[in-house]
Amino acid sequence: GTMLRTRLARPGRTLRLLDVVPPPGGVGVPGEDAIVASVTDMAAMIEASTRADAVIHLGGVSGEAPWERVLETNIQGTYTVFEAARRAGVPRVIFASSNHAVGFAPRSAFPVPDYAFPAPDTYYGVSKVTGEGLAAQYHHRYGMDTICLRILSCFEHPHNVRQLSTWLSPDDAGRLFEACLTADQPGFRVAFGASANTRGVVSLDEARALGYEPMDNAEAYAAEIIAAHGEPDPADPVLAYLGGEFTQPEYDADRLG
Ligand code: 15L
């Protein structure tokens, strides 16, 4: 959200930010409203959604967590976002899904196709599949435009060998969300969110069909990453599946605590 804040700013557009804490840099920035509330609070979400043209839902736990926490924040929170948007009459919701909805897609399936059947690698991944199900329902039942972005690794820079394949640069993230905001009558879509990485592991066809034109490529960091971490090892279990470390036995809610 912080990365998108500057990249989605446009003359004449108001960004209404919502988080459980005040935004970094504070409130009162021209072109912004800021609301401190939880995505699990239906009344606050309806009020926040009122008169919005679109909702971008990025709120939740961003990695594995105990089931109860995933259920409350990610699953109940995502239901609340969609339902509040419906009650407030918002025509479009863009949901930050994740590659972890299909984290157990094996290397033999690379590049993973758009709309690949769910293969969540964690409870977190299950929450993203649930969000995609809600997006489908709110489109088919209520006619809302709903776009699910199966985001890969959105960081300032790639940090490891896997991210040479999975990086989504902040600027490309801005371009992708802007495409989702402005695509004409998109209906229900599920697209991957990654930069134009030479070592890419997912289809970008559906994202491009929405109007996304990626400009960045993690390969610009390859020499630096390989010098620090070594050449990618095809036998490395972290590289066996799309979800990387999330698929590994030690990345487990019970062990993570
Ligand atoms: C995600 O969905 C996480 O939110 C993020 O922290 C990264 O771990 C990313 O996936 C990834 O797969 O690199």
Side-chain angles (χ1 to χ4, degrees), residues 37-166:
S38 169
V39 288
T40 60
D41 180 339
M42 182 67 83
M45 288 306 296
I46 292 171
E47 196 181 332
S49 302
T50 299
R51 291 185 300 282
D53 297 306
V55 171
I56 294 177
H57 174 35
L58 308 165
V61 182
S62 64
E64 186 58 319
W67 173 250
E68 293 72 19
R69 184 148 183 254
V70 172
L71 180 64
E72 170 66 11
T73 309
N74 288 20
I75 296 180
Q76 184 67 23
T78 298
Y79 157 73
T80 307
V81 169
F82 277 103
E83 180 58 15
R86 183 185 75 82
R87 293 192 202 171
V90 181
R92 182 172 307 206
V93 174
I94 302 157
F95 167 58
S97 182
S98 166
N99 74 96
H100 300 291
V102 286
F104 273 117
R107 191 165 44 208
S108 59
F110 293 174
V112 183
D114 293 301
Y115 301 96
F117 196 79
D121 52 27
T122 44
Y123 295 145
Y124 167 74
V126 170
S127 77
K128 297 302 182 182
V129 174
T130 307
E132 293 181 359
L134 286 162
Q137 189 222 355
Y138 276 83
H139 171 66
H140 294 298
R141 181 169 287 277
Y142 301 117
M144 194 184 276
D145 287 318
T146 57
I147 304 173
C148 305
L149 294 176
R150 289 176 169 175
I151 296 169
L152 284 87
S153 307
C154 187
F155 300 104
E156 287 292 342
H157 307 289
H159 294 124
N160 53 39
V161 166
R162 171 176 175 264
Q163 291 179 9
L164 293 177
S165 300
T166 61

Side-chain angles (χ1 to χ4, degrees), residues 171-189:
D171 285 345
D172 278 344
R175 289 184 261 274
L176 178 58
F177 277 89
E178 186 65 30
C180 293
L181 285 172
T182 53
D184 186 34
Q185 299 185 323
F188 169 66
R189 307 286 194 97

Side-chain angles (χ1 to χ4, degrees), residues 225-257:
I225 296 277
I226 289 169
H229 300 273
E231 288 287 343
D233 175 2
D236 183 350
V238 167
L239 303 179
Y241 297 100
L242 180 64
E245 56 271 24
F246 280 44
T247 64
Q248 296 306 291
E250 58 276 11
Y251 197 87
D252 186 278
D254 286 344
R255 295 195 195 188
L256 295 168

